[in-house]
Amino acid sequence: SQELEQSPQSLIVQEGKNLTINCTSSKTLYGLYWYKQKYGEGLIFLMMLQKGGEEKSHEKITAKLDEKKQQSSLHITASQPSHAGIYLCGADILRSARQLTFGSGTQLTVLP
Amino acid sequence: KAGVTQTPRYLIKTRGQQVTLSCSPISGHRSVSWYQQTPGQGLQFLFEYFSETQRNKGNFPGRFSGRQFSNSRSEMNVSTLELGDSALYLCASSFSGSLAGELFFGEGSRLTVL
């Protein structure tokens, strides 16, 4: 979706390295969701952010929401091969319950 | 607690046929939404149901329809299948369907149209 831009499109990192994925909206964000997807499989819920400045962490993954910039970042510390997959951000930009607009995804490869 | 269950996981149909996909939400969840995922268009919203009522509908032709039952289970139907309907169809559920709820997805149903 052009309304939600993810960058980079793909990322190859060496195991142990840190990385950041960005998600920028052209419209007001009423909620921002991060998911991970293995190719051809379902989406695994990672985190949901709602308030500007909100930051959440789960294991080695941290997500932040910058409401002013209408942007969210996903940071992985000390990456592992198990982090590999497609990371998708989904946003509620229509203030409509359960109708999320998704970015095109970031393909993450972690080399052992 | 069981997650979102979608059936069938894989299916192959030919052009002109119709298909019905099923989704059982997480127990206690009343909102079910459907998405289509293709390599070209990515994830796109189809429709969302809450308490058996369709609340939102995406920009898809009328060939795509859905319904929700009193036990919150949902089905989506695609009639007169076209090659472009080949996709991964994902179902997601949430507790209340409000803006504040977490949204959980199933494994998807992979539809191939020949």
Side-chain angles (χ1 to χ4, degrees), chain A residues 33 35 37 40-43 45 48 50 88 92 95-100 102, chain B residues 31 35 37 45 48 55-56 90 94 97-103 105-107 110:
Chain A
Y33 297 71
Y35 292 91
Q37 184 180 33
E41 298 181 5
L43 276 63
F45 174 82
M48 177 186 72
Q50 283 187 282
L88 289 152
D92 178 359
R95 204 173 179 85
S96 174
R98 298 290 73 92
Q99 182 171 347
L100 299 186
F102 281 88
Chain B
S31 170
Y35 289 80
Q37 187 177 35
F45 174 80
E48 185 256 350
R55 292 198 298 188
N56 292 292
L90 291 159
S94 69
S98 71
L99 298 174
E102 295 176 338
L103 188 65
F105 282 81
E107 289 295 312
R110 166 87 49 195

PDB file of all heavy atoms in Angstrom, chain A residues 33 35 37 40-43 45 48 50 88 92 95-100 102, chain B residues 31 35 37 45 48 55-56 90 94 97-103 105-107 110:
ATOM      1  N   TYR A  33       0.230  -1.960  14.028  1.00  0.00           N
ATOM      2  CA  TYR A  33       0.446  -3.353  14.383  1.00  0.00           C
ATOM      3  C   TYR A  33       1.683  -3.870  13.652  1.00  0.00           C
ATOM      4  O   TYR A  33       1.901  -3.565  12.478  1.00  0.00           O
ATOM      5  CB  TYR A  33      -0.749  -4.202  13.953  1.00  0.00           C
ATOM      6  CG  TYR A  33      -2.054  -3.850  14.622  1.00  0.00           C
ATOM      7  CD1 TYR A  33      -2.727  -2.673  14.330  1.00  0.00           C
ATOM      8  CD2 TYR A  33      -2.646  -4.730  15.526  1.00  0.00           C
ATOM      9  CE1 TYR A  33      -3.932  -2.359  14.930  1.00  0.00           C
ATOM     10  CE2 TYR A  33      -3.859  -4.437  16.134  1.00  0.00           C
ATOM     11  CZ  TYR A  33      -4.490  -3.243  15.832  1.00  0.00           C
ATOM     12  OH  TYR A  33      -5.696  -2.943  16.426  1.00  0.00           O
ATOM     13  N   TYR A  35       3.608  -7.465  12.577  1.00  0.00           N
ATOM     14  CA  TYR A  35       3.449  -8.917  12.434  1.00  0.00           C
ATOM     15  C   TYR A  35       4.691  -9.501  11.766  1.00  0.00           C
ATOM     16  O   TYR A  35       5.418  -8.814  11.052  1.00  0.00           O
ATOM     17  CB  TYR A  35       2.232  -9.260  11.550  1.00  0.00           C
ATOM     18  CG  TYR A  35       0.905  -8.913  12.158  1.00  0.00           C
ATOM     19  CD1 TYR A  35       0.319  -7.677  11.925  1.00  0.00           C
ATOM     20  CD2 TYR A  35       0.233  -9.834  12.948  1.00  0.00           C
ATOM     21  CE1 TYR A  35      -0.908  -7.357  12.483  1.00  0.00           C
ATOM     22  CE2 TYR A  35      -1.005  -9.521  13.515  1.00  0.00           C
ATOM     23  CZ  TYR A  35      -1.553  -8.282  13.271  1.00  0.00           C
ATOM     24  OH  TYR A  35      -2.771  -7.964  13.821  1.00  0.00           O
ATOM     25  N   GLN A  37       5.757 -12.913   9.360  1.00  0.00           N
ATOM     26  CA  GLN A  37       5.178 -13.961   8.525  1.00  0.00           C
ATOM     27  C   GLN A  37       6.275 -14.817   7.915  1.00  0.00           C
ATOM     28  O   GLN A  37       7.239 -14.299   7.364  1.00  0.00           O
ATOM     29  CB  GLN A  37       4.320 -13.343   7.413  1.00  0.00           C
ATOM     30  CG  GLN A  37       3.601 -14.369   6.548  1.00  0.00           C
ATOM     31  CD  GLN A  37       2.752 -13.725   5.454  1.00  0.00           C
ATOM     32  OE1 GLN A  37       3.094 -12.667   4.929  1.00  0.00           O
ATOM     33  NE2 GLN A  37       1.631 -14.345   5.109  1.00  0.00           N
ATOM     34  N   GLY A  40       4.260 -17.799   2.933  1.00  0.00           N
ATOM     35  CA  GLY A  40       3.072 -18.605   2.667  1.00  0.00           C
ATOM     36  C   GLY A  40       2.295 -19.019   3.883  1.00  0.00           C
ATOM     37  O   GLY A  40       1.331 -19.785   3.761  1.00  0.00           O
ATOM     38  N   GLU A  41       2.669 -18.512   5.039  1.00  0.00           N
ATOM     39  CA  GLU A  41       1.967 -18.897   6.259  1.00  0.00           C
ATOM     40  C   GLU A  41       1.220 -17.704   6.853  1.00  0.00           C
ATOM     41  O   GLU A  41       1.215 -16.619   6.292  1.00  0.00           O
ATOM     42  CB  GLU A  41       2.963 -19.472   7.267  1.00  0.00           C
ATOM     43  CG  GLU A  41       3.659 -20.728   6.759  1.00  0.00           C
ATOM     44  CD  GLU A  41       4.626 -21.297   7.782  1.00  0.00           C
ATOM     45  OE1 GLU A  41       4.682 -20.776   8.906  1.00  0.00           O
ATOM     46  OE2 GLU A  41       5.336 -22.262   7.443  1.00  0.00           O
ATOM     47  N   GLY A  42       0.607 -17.943   7.992  1.00  0.00           N
ATOM     48  CA  GLY A  42      -0.163 -16.890   8.626  1.00  0.00           C
ATOM     49  C   GLY A  42       0.718 -15.834   9.273  1.00  0.00           C
ATOM     50  O   GLY A  42       1.946 -15.952   9.302  1.00  0.00           O
ATOM     51  N   LEU A  43       0.088 -14.784   9.775  1.00  0.00           N
ATOM     52  CA  LEU A  43       0.800 -13.686  10.419  1.00  0.00           C
ATOM     53  C   LEU A  43       0.860 -13.923  11.928  1.00  0.00           C
ATOM     54  O   LEU A  43      -0.136 -14.246  12.556  1.00  0.00           O
ATOM     55  CB  LEU A  43       0.080 -12.361  10.153  1.00  0.00           C
ATOM     56  CG  LEU A  43       0.383 -11.639   8.858  1.00  0.00           C
ATOM     57  CD1 LEU A  43      -0.025 -12.450   7.656  1.00  0.00           C
ATOM     58  CD2 LEU A  43      -0.308 -10.276   8.847  1.00  0.00           C
ATOM     59  N   PHE A  45       1.318 -12.281  15.442  1.00  0.00           N
ATOM     60  CA  PHE A  45       1.202 -10.970  16.088  1.00  0.00           C
ATOM     61  C   PHE A  45       2.429 -10.708  16.951  1.00  0.00           C
ATOM     62  O   PHE A  45       2.819 -11.532  17.783  1.00  0.00           O
ATOM     63  CB  PHE A  45      -0.065 -10.953  16.938  1.00  0.00           C
ATOM     64  CG  PHE A  45      -0.241  -9.717  17.768  1.00  0.00           C
ATOM     65  CD1 PHE A  45      -0.775  -8.571  17.195  1.00  0.00           C
ATOM     66  CD2 PHE A  45       0.117  -9.691  19.097  1.00  0.00           C
ATOM     67  CE1 PHE A  45      -0.943  -7.421  17.953  1.00  0.00           C
ATOM     68  CE2 PHE A  45      -0.044  -8.555  19.856  1.00  0.00           C
ATOM     69  CZ  PHE A  45      -0.578  -7.411  19.289  1.00  0.00           C
ATOM     70  N   MET A  48       1.265  -4.242  19.250  1.00  0.00           N
ATOM     71  CA  MET A  48       0.328  -3.220  18.836  1.00  0.00           C
ATOM     72  C   MET A  48       0.663  -1.936  19.573  1.00  0.00           C
ATOM     73  O   MET A  48       0.881  -1.957  20.783  1.00  0.00           O
ATOM     74  CB  MET A  48      -1.106  -3.646  19.168  1.00  0.00           C
ATOM     75  CG  MET A  48      -2.151  -2.615  18.850  1.00  0.00           C
ATOM     76  SD  MET A  48      -3.790  -3.106  19.418  1.00  0.00           S
ATOM     77  CE  MET A  48      -3.605  -2.913  21.180  1.00  0.00           C
ATOM     78  N   GLN A  50      -0.467   2.183  20.155  1.00  0.00           N
ATOM     79  CA  GLN A  50      -1.602   3.083  19.949  1.00  0.00           C
ATOM     80  C   GLN A  50      -1.297   4.533  20.233  1.00  0.00           C
ATOM     81  O   GLN A  50      -1.881   5.418  19.597  1.00  0.00           O
ATOM     82  CB  GLN A  50      -2.769   2.646  20.837  1.00  0.00           C
ATOM     83  CG  GLN A  50      -3.495   1.440  20.313  1.00  0.00           C
ATOM     84  CD  GLN A  50      -4.732   1.162  21.124  1.00  0.00           C
ATOM     85  OE1 GLN A  50      -4.660   0.616  22.208  1.00  0.00           O
ATOM     86  NE2 GLN A  50      -5.864   1.573  20.611  1.00  0.00           N
ATOM     87  N   LEU A  88       5.739  -7.316   8.682  1.00  0.00           N
ATOM     88  CA  LEU A  88       4.677  -6.479   8.111  1.00  0.00           C
ATOM     89  C   LEU A  88       4.143  -5.506   9.152  1.00  0.00           C
ATOM     90  O   LEU A  88       3.894  -5.891  10.299  1.00  0.00           O
ATOM     91  CB  LEU A  88       3.517  -7.350   7.628  1.00  0.00           C
ATOM     92  CG  LEU A  88       3.771  -8.203   6.388  1.00  0.00           C
ATOM     93  CD1 LEU A  88       2.916  -9.446   6.403  1.00  0.00           C
ATOM     94  CD2 LEU A  88       3.475  -7.390   5.130  1.00  0.00           C
ATOM     95  N   ASP A  92      -4.194   1.191  11.332  1.00  0.00           N
ATOM     96  CA  ASP A  92      -5.572   1.658  11.275  1.00  0.00           C
ATOM     97  C   ASP A  92      -5.497   3.127  10.897  1.00  0.00           C
ATOM     98  O   ASP A  92      -5.189   3.972  11.730  1.00  0.00           O
ATOM     99  CB  ASP A  92      -6.239   1.454  12.636  1.00  0.00           C
ATOM    100  CG  ASP A  92      -7.676   1.965  12.652  1.00  0.00           C
ATOM    101  OD1 ASP A  92      -8.145   2.486  11.621  1.00  0.00           O
ATOM    102  OD2 ASP A  92      -8.319   1.852  13.708  1.00  0.00           O
ATOM    103  N   ARG A  95      -9.662   4.849  10.978  1.00  0.00           N
ATOM    104  CA  ARG A  95     -10.387   4.872  12.230  1.00  0.00           C
ATOM    105  C   ARG A  95     -11.615   3.958  12.118  1.00  0.00           C
ATOM    106  O   ARG A  95     -12.719   4.295  12.515  1.00  0.00           O
ATOM    107  CB  ARG A  95     -10.808   6.283  12.611  1.00  0.00           C
ATOM    108  CG  ARG A  95     -11.031   6.441  14.108  1.00  0.00           C
ATOM    109  CD  ARG A  95     -11.273   7.880  14.519  1.00  0.00           C
ATOM    110  NE  ARG A  95     -11.495   7.983  15.937  1.00  0.00           N
ATOM    111  CZ  ARG A  95     -10.528   8.075  16.834  1.00  0.00           C
ATOM    112  NH1 ARG A  95      -9.280   8.085  16.448  1.00  0.00           N
ATOM    113  NH2 ARG A  95     -10.804   8.162  18.116  1.00  0.00           N
ATOM    114  N   SER A  96     -11.352   2.818  11.523  1.00  0.00           N
ATOM    115  CA  SER A  96     -12.425   1.863  11.278  1.00  0.00           C
ATOM    116  C   SER A  96     -12.047   0.544  11.926  1.00  0.00           C
ATOM    117  O   SER A  96     -10.999  -0.011  11.647  1.00  0.00           O
ATOM    118  CB  SER A  96     -12.599   1.675   9.770  1.00  0.00           C
ATOM    119  OG  SER A  96     -13.533   0.667   9.494  1.00  0.00           O
ATOM    120  N   ALA A  97     -12.900   0.063  12.783  1.00  0.00           N
ATOM    121  CA  ALA A  97     -12.576  -1.142  13.526  1.00  0.00           C
ATOM    122  C   ALA A  97     -12.188  -2.296  12.617  1.00  0.00           C
ATOM    123  O   ALA A  97     -12.932  -2.677  11.737  1.00  0.00           O
ATOM    124  CB  ALA A  97     -13.771  -1.554  14.376  1.00  0.00           C
ATOM    125  N   ARG A  98     -10.962  -2.799  12.860  1.00  0.00           N
ATOM    126  CA  ARG A  98     -10.513  -4.015  12.227  1.00  0.00           C
ATOM    127  C   ARG A  98     -10.275  -3.914  10.712  1.00  0.00           C
ATOM    128  O   ARG A  98     -10.269  -4.912  10.027  1.00  0.00           O
ATOM    129  CB  ARG A  98     -11.483  -5.180  12.499  1.00  0.00           C
ATOM    130  CG  ARG A  98     -11.614  -5.521  13.955  1.00  0.00           C
ATOM    131  CD  ARG A  98     -10.365  -6.130  14.451  1.00  0.00           C
ATOM    132  NE  ARG A  98      -9.252  -5.210  14.606  1.00  0.00           N
ATOM    133  CZ  ARG A  98      -8.975  -4.560  15.732  1.00  0.00           C
ATOM    134  NH1 ARG A  98      -9.691  -4.739  16.792  1.00  0.00           N
ATOM    135  NH2 ARG A  98      -7.971  -3.750  15.783  1.00  0.00           N
ATOM    136  N   GLN A  99     -10.157  -2.747  10.162  1.00  0.00           N
ATOM    137  CA  GLN A  99      -9.783  -2.630   8.753  1.00  0.00           C
ATOM    138  C   GLN A  99      -8.384  -2.050   8.699  1.00  0.00           C
ATOM    139  O   GLN A  99      -8.200  -0.831   8.728  1.00  0.00           O
ATOM    140  CB  GLN A  99     -10.768  -1.719   8.001  1.00  0.00           C
ATOM    141  CG  GLN A  99     -10.444  -1.621   6.519  1.00  0.00           C
ATOM    142  CD  GLN A  99     -11.520  -0.911   5.727  1.00  0.00           C
ATOM    143  OE1 GLN A  99     -12.630  -0.698   6.222  1.00  0.00           O
ATOM    144  NE2 GLN A  99     -11.205  -0.537   4.501  1.00  0.00           N
ATOM    145  N   LEU A 100      -7.425  -2.926   8.631  1.00  0.00           N
ATOM    146  CA  LEU A 100      -6.041  -2.485   8.619  1.00  0.00           C
ATOM    147  C   LEU A 100      -5.515  -2.345   7.203  1.00  0.00           C
ATOM    148  O   LEU A 100      -5.864  -3.104   6.304  1.00  0.00           O
ATOM    149  CB  LEU A 100      -5.159  -3.483   9.378  1.00  0.00           C
ATOM    150  CG  LEU A 100      -5.461  -3.705  10.859  1.00  0.00           C
ATOM    151  CD1 LEU A 100      -4.394  -4.597  11.475  1.00  0.00           C
ATOM    152  CD2 LEU A 100      -5.537  -2.378  11.602  1.00  0.00           C
ATOM    153  N   PHE A 102      -1.971  -2.477   5.179  1.00  0.00           N
ATOM    154  CA  PHE A 102      -0.668  -3.067   5.402  1.00  0.00           C
ATOM    155  C   PHE A 102       0.402  -2.497   4.483  1.00  0.00           C
ATOM    156  O   PHE A 102       0.135  -2.096   3.347  1.00  0.00           O
ATOM    157  CB  PHE A 102      -0.719  -4.584   5.212  1.00  0.00           C
ATOM    158  CG  PHE A 102      -1.294  -5.311   6.388  1.00  0.00           C
ATOM    159  CD1 PHE A 102      -2.665  -5.517   6.485  1.00  0.00           C
ATOM    160  CD2 PHE A 102      -0.471  -5.782   7.402  1.00  0.00           C
ATOM    161  CE1 PHE A 102      -3.198  -6.181   7.584  1.00  0.00           C
ATOM    162  CE2 PHE A 102      -1.004  -6.447   8.489  1.00  0.00           C
ATOM    163  CZ  PHE A 102      -2.368  -6.647   8.589  1.00  0.00           C
TER     164      PHE A 102
ATOM    165  N   SER B  31     -15.220 -10.596  16.635  1.00  0.00           N
ATOM    166  CA  SER B  31     -14.958  -9.928  15.368  1.00  0.00           C
ATOM    167  C   SER B  31     -14.075 -10.801  14.489  1.00  0.00           C
ATOM    168  O   SER B  31     -13.061 -11.334  14.947  1.00  0.00           O
ATOM    169  CB  SER B  31     -14.246  -8.595  15.622  1.00  0.00           C
ATOM    170  OG  SER B  31     -13.773  -8.041  14.417  1.00  0.00           O
ATOM    171  N   TYR B  35      -8.736 -11.094   4.822  1.00  0.00           N
ATOM    172  CA  TYR B  35      -7.775 -10.393   3.981  1.00  0.00           C
ATOM    173  C   TYR B  35      -7.330 -11.313   2.856  1.00  0.00           C
ATOM    174  O   TYR B  35      -7.281 -12.532   3.014  1.00  0.00           O
ATOM    175  CB  TYR B  35      -6.541  -9.977   4.793  1.00  0.00           C
ATOM    176  CG  TYR B  35      -6.804  -8.871   5.781  1.00  0.00           C
ATOM    177  CD1 TYR B  35      -7.404  -9.128   7.009  1.00  0.00           C
ATOM    178  CD2 TYR B  35      -6.442  -7.554   5.491  1.00  0.00           C
ATOM    179  CE1 TYR B  35      -7.652  -8.114   7.918  1.00  0.00           C
ATOM    180  CE2 TYR B  35      -6.678  -6.530   6.394  1.00  0.00           C
ATOM    181  CZ  TYR B  35      -7.294  -6.823   7.599  1.00  0.00           C
ATOM    182  OH  TYR B  35      -7.533  -5.811   8.492  1.00  0.00           O
ATOM    183  N   GLN B  37      -4.072 -11.961   0.318  1.00  0.00           N
ATOM    184  CA  GLN B  37      -2.658 -11.638   0.146  1.00  0.00           C
ATOM    185  C   GLN B  37      -2.156 -12.204  -1.176  1.00  0.00           C
ATOM    186  O   GLN B  37      -2.238 -13.413  -1.425  1.00  0.00           O
ATOM    187  CB  GLN B  37      -1.803 -12.186   1.292  1.00  0.00           C
ATOM    188  CG  GLN B  37      -0.348 -11.738   1.234  1.00  0.00           C
ATOM    189  CD  GLN B  37       0.467 -12.235   2.406  1.00  0.00           C
ATOM    190  OE1 GLN B  37       0.254 -13.326   2.907  1.00  0.00           O
ATOM    191  NE2 GLN B  37       1.399 -11.396   2.881  1.00  0.00           N
ATOM    192  N   PHE B  45      -7.643  -5.770   2.612  1.00  0.00           N
ATOM    193  CA  PHE B  45      -8.826  -6.032   3.430  1.00  0.00           C
ATOM    194  C   PHE B  45     -10.018  -6.387   2.554  1.00  0.00           C
ATOM    195  O   PHE B  45     -10.320  -5.709   1.580  1.00  0.00           O
ATOM    196  CB  PHE B  45      -9.120  -4.781   4.259  1.00  0.00           C
ATOM    197  CG  PHE B  45     -10.394  -4.829   5.047  1.00  0.00           C
ATOM    198  CD1 PHE B  45     -10.465  -5.505   6.247  1.00  0.00           C
ATOM    199  CD2 PHE B  45     -11.529  -4.186   4.579  1.00  0.00           C
ATOM    200  CE1 PHE B  45     -11.637  -5.552   6.980  1.00  0.00           C
ATOM    201  CE2 PHE B  45     -12.711  -4.212   5.302  1.00  0.00           C
ATOM    202  CZ  PHE B  45     -12.764  -4.893   6.507  1.00  0.00           C
ATOM    203  N   GLU B  48     -15.184  -7.323   7.266  1.00  0.00           N
ATOM    204  CA  GLU B  48     -15.130  -7.611   8.689  1.00  0.00           C
ATOM    205  C   GLU B  48     -16.533  -7.822   9.229  1.00  0.00           C
ATOM    206  O   GLU B  48     -17.464  -7.111   8.845  1.00  0.00           O
ATOM    207  CB  GLU B  48     -14.453  -6.467   9.446  1.00  0.00           C
ATOM    208  CG  GLU B  48     -14.239  -6.727  10.945  1.00  0.00           C
ATOM    209  CD  GLU B  48     -15.221  -5.998  11.837  1.00  0.00           C
ATOM    210  OE1 GLU B  48     -15.961  -5.134  11.345  1.00  0.00           O
ATOM    211  OE2 GLU B  48     -15.253  -6.302  13.042  1.00  0.00           O
ATOM    212  N   ARG B  55     -19.565  -5.141   9.063  1.00  0.00           N
ATOM    213  CA  ARG B  55     -19.393  -3.737   9.449  1.00  0.00           C
ATOM    214  C   ARG B  55     -18.562  -2.955   8.442  1.00  0.00           C
ATOM    215  O   ARG B  55     -18.756  -1.761   8.283  1.00  0.00           O
ATOM    216  CB  ARG B  55     -18.729  -3.648  10.823  1.00  0.00           C
ATOM    217  CG  ARG B  55     -19.587  -4.151  11.958  1.00  0.00           C
ATOM    218  CD  ARG B  55     -19.091  -3.648  13.289  1.00  0.00           C
ATOM    219  NE  ARG B  55     -17.738  -4.122  13.581  1.00  0.00           N
ATOM    220  CZ  ARG B  55     -17.137  -3.943  14.739  1.00  0.00           C
ATOM    221  NH1 ARG B  55     -17.758  -3.289  15.706  1.00  0.00           N
ATOM    222  NH2 ARG B  55     -15.926  -4.408  14.951  1.00  0.00           N
ATOM    223  N   ASN B  56     -17.617  -3.641   7.834  1.00  0.00           N
ATOM    224  CA  ASN B  56     -16.748  -2.960   6.874  1.00  0.00           C
ATOM    225  C   ASN B  56     -16.527  -3.850   5.670  1.00  0.00           C
ATOM    226  O   ASN B  56     -16.495  -5.069   5.789  1.00  0.00           O
ATOM    227  CB  ASN B  56     -15.389  -2.649   7.510  1.00  0.00           C
ATOM    228  CG  ASN B  56     -15.482  -1.615   8.597  1.00  0.00           C
ATOM    229  OD1 ASN B  56     -15.769  -0.453   8.344  1.00  0.00           O
ATOM    230  ND2 ASN B  56     -15.253  -2.032   9.820  1.00  0.00           N
ATOM    231  N   LEU B  90      -6.521 -14.861   4.346  1.00  0.00           N
ATOM    232  CA  LEU B  90      -6.247 -14.868   5.776  1.00  0.00           C
ATOM    233  C   LEU B  90      -7.441 -14.345   6.560  1.00  0.00           C
ATOM    234  O   LEU B  90      -8.072 -13.358   6.187  1.00  0.00           O
ATOM    235  CB  LEU B  90      -5.024 -14.000   6.083  1.00  0.00           C
ATOM    236  CG  LEU B  90      -3.690 -14.546   5.578  1.00  0.00           C
ATOM    237  CD1 LEU B  90      -2.656 -13.430   5.472  1.00  0.00           C
ATOM    238  CD2 LEU B  90      -3.182 -15.641   6.501  1.00  0.00           C
ATOM    239  N   SER B  94     -10.582 -10.773  16.643  1.00  0.00           N
ATOM    240  CA  SER B  94     -10.293  -9.956  17.811  1.00  0.00           C
ATOM    241  C   SER B  94     -11.471 -10.031  18.760  1.00  0.00           C
ATOM    242  O   SER B  94     -12.575 -10.413  18.367  1.00  0.00           O
ATOM    243  CB  SER B  94      -9.998  -8.509  17.417  1.00  0.00           C
ATOM    244  OG  SER B  94     -11.161  -7.887  16.939  1.00  0.00           O
ATOM    245  N   GLY B  97     -13.496  -6.095  18.375  1.00  0.00           N
ATOM    246  CA  GLY B  97     -13.546  -5.355  17.133  1.00  0.00           C
ATOM    247  C   GLY B  97     -13.397  -3.870  17.333  1.00  0.00           C
ATOM    248  O   GLY B  97     -13.604  -3.093  16.432  1.00  0.00           O
ATOM    249  N   SER B  98     -13.035  -3.475  18.522  1.00  0.00           N
ATOM    250  CA  SER B  98     -12.851  -2.044  18.767  1.00  0.00           C
ATOM    251  C   SER B  98     -11.491  -1.613  18.256  1.00  0.00           C
ATOM    252  O   SER B  98     -10.666  -2.409  17.858  1.00  0.00           O
ATOM    253  CB  SER B  98     -12.938  -1.748  20.258  1.00  0.00           C
ATOM    254  OG  SER B  98     -11.781  -2.269  20.906  1.00  0.00           O
ATOM    255  N   LEU B  99     -11.235  -0.341  18.297  1.00  0.00           N
ATOM    256  CA  LEU B  99      -9.957   0.178  17.827  1.00  0.00           C
ATOM    257  C   LEU B  99      -8.798  -0.278  18.699  1.00  0.00           C
ATOM    258  O   LEU B  99      -7.664  -0.271  18.274  1.00  0.00           O
ATOM    259  CB  LEU B  99      -9.998   1.712  17.804  1.00  0.00           C
ATOM    260  CG  LEU B  99     -11.026   2.327  16.860  1.00  0.00           C
ATOM    261  CD1 LEU B  99     -11.065   3.835  17.041  1.00  0.00           C
ATOM    262  CD2 LEU B  99     -10.697   1.990  15.419  1.00  0.00           C
ATOM    263  N   ALA B 100      -9.104  -0.687  19.923  1.00  0.00           N
ATOM    264  CA  ALA B 100      -8.026  -0.955  20.862  1.00  0.00           C
ATOM    265  C   ALA B 100      -7.621  -2.411  20.960  1.00  0.00           C
ATOM    266  O   ALA B 100      -6.765  -2.746  21.736  1.00  0.00           O
ATOM    267  CB  ALA B 100      -8.432  -0.461  22.245  1.00  0.00           C
ATOM    268  N   GLY B 101      -8.224  -3.264  20.182  1.00  0.00           N
ATOM    269  CA  GLY B 101      -7.976  -4.685  20.376  1.00  0.00           C
ATOM    270  C   GLY B 101      -6.847  -5.264  19.561  1.00  0.00           C
ATOM    271  O   GLY B 101      -6.526  -4.788  18.483  1.00  0.00           O
ATOM    272  N   GLU B 102      -6.243  -6.300  20.074  1.00  0.00           N
ATOM    273  CA  GLU B 102      -5.221  -7.034  19.329  1.00  0.00           C
ATOM    274  C   GLU B 102      -5.906  -7.891  18.277  1.00  0.00           C
ATOM    275  O   GLU B 102      -7.001  -8.384  18.481  1.00  0.00           O
ATOM    276  CB  GLU B 102      -4.403  -7.897  20.285  1.00  0.00           C
ATOM    277  CG  GLU B 102      -3.597  -7.084  21.292  1.00  0.00           C
ATOM    278  CD  GLU B 102      -2.870  -7.950  22.283  1.00  0.00           C
ATOM    279  OE1 GLU B 102      -3.284  -9.103  22.469  1.00  0.00           O
ATOM    280  OE2 GLU B 102      -1.890  -7.473  22.874  1.00  0.00           O
ATOM    281  N   LEU B 103      -5.239  -8.064  17.174  1.00  0.00           N
ATOM    282  CA  LEU B 103      -5.799  -8.780  16.025  1.00  0.00           C
ATOM    283  C   LEU B 103      -4.920  -9.986  15.723  1.00  0.00           C
ATOM    284  O   LEU B 103      -3.728  -9.827  15.465  1.00  0.00           O
ATOM    285  CB  LEU B 103      -5.839  -7.831  14.829  1.00  0.00           C
ATOM    286  CG  LEU B 103      -6.561  -8.296  13.575  1.00  0.00           C
ATOM    287  CD1 LEU B 103      -8.043  -8.456  13.847  1.00  0.00           C
ATOM    288  CD2 LEU B 103      -6.352  -7.283  12.450  1.00  0.00           C
ATOM    289  N   PHE B 105      -4.185 -13.523  13.513  1.00  0.00           N
ATOM    290  CA  PHE B 105      -4.445 -14.149  12.227  1.00  0.00           C
ATOM    291  C   PHE B 105      -4.317 -15.667  12.284  1.00  0.00           C
ATOM    292  O   PHE B 105      -3.582 -16.220  13.101  1.00  0.00           O
ATOM    293  CB  PHE B 105      -3.451 -13.632  11.177  1.00  0.00           C
ATOM    294  CG  PHE B 105      -3.773 -12.264  10.652  1.00  0.00           C
ATOM    295  CD1 PHE B 105      -3.427 -11.131  11.373  1.00  0.00           C
ATOM    296  CD2 PHE B 105      -4.428 -12.111   9.432  1.00  0.00           C
ATOM    297  CE1 PHE B 105      -3.726  -9.862  10.889  1.00  0.00           C
ATOM    298  CE2 PHE B 105      -4.725 -10.855   8.935  1.00  0.00           C
ATOM    299  CZ  PHE B 105      -4.375  -9.732   9.666  1.00  0.00           C
ATOM    300  N   GLY B 106      -5.020 -16.316  11.365  1.00  0.00           N
ATOM    301  CA  GLY B 106      -4.882 -17.754  11.176  1.00  0.00           C
ATOM    302  C   GLY B 106      -3.762 -18.057  10.197  1.00  0.00           C
ATOM    303  O   GLY B 106      -3.062 -17.154   9.736  1.00  0.00           O
ATOM    304  N   GLU B 107      -3.600 -19.348   9.866  1.00  0.00           N
ATOM    305  CA  GLU B 107      -2.541 -19.775   8.961  1.00  0.00           C
ATOM    306  C   GLU B 107      -2.895 -19.518   7.500  1.00  0.00           C
ATOM    307  O   GLU B 107      -2.039 -19.550   6.636  1.00  0.00           O
ATOM    308  CB  GLU B 107      -2.264 -21.268   9.158  1.00  0.00           C
ATOM    309  CG  GLU B 107      -1.578 -21.603  10.470  1.00  0.00           C
ATOM    310  CD  GLU B 107      -0.182 -21.011  10.532  1.00  0.00           C
ATOM    311  OE1 GLU B 107       0.580 -21.178   9.549  1.00  0.00           O
ATOM    312  OE2 GLU B 107       0.158 -20.375  11.546  1.00  0.00           O
ATOM    313  N   ARG B 110      -4.747 -21.318   1.150  1.00  0.00           N
ATOM    314  CA  ARG B 110      -4.073 -21.031  -0.119  1.00  0.00           C
ATOM    315  C   ARG B 110      -4.947 -21.532  -1.256  1.00  0.00           C
ATOM    316  O   ARG B 110      -5.142 -22.719  -1.418  1.00  0.00           O
ATOM    317  CB  ARG B 110      -2.702 -21.712  -0.137  1.00  0.00           C
ATOM    318  CG  ARG B 110      -2.031 -21.791  -1.490  1.00  0.00           C
ATOM    319  CD  ARG B 110      -1.210 -20.604  -1.851  1.00  0.00           C
ATOM    320  NE  ARG B 110      -0.268 -20.148  -0.863  1.00  0.00           N
ATOM    321  CZ  ARG B 110       0.300 -18.947  -0.928  1.00  0.00           C
ATOM    322  NH1 ARG B 110       0.001 -18.137  -1.917  1.00  0.00           N
ATOM    323  NH2 ARG B 110       1.152 -18.570  -0.005  1.00  0.00           N
TER     324      ARG B 110
END
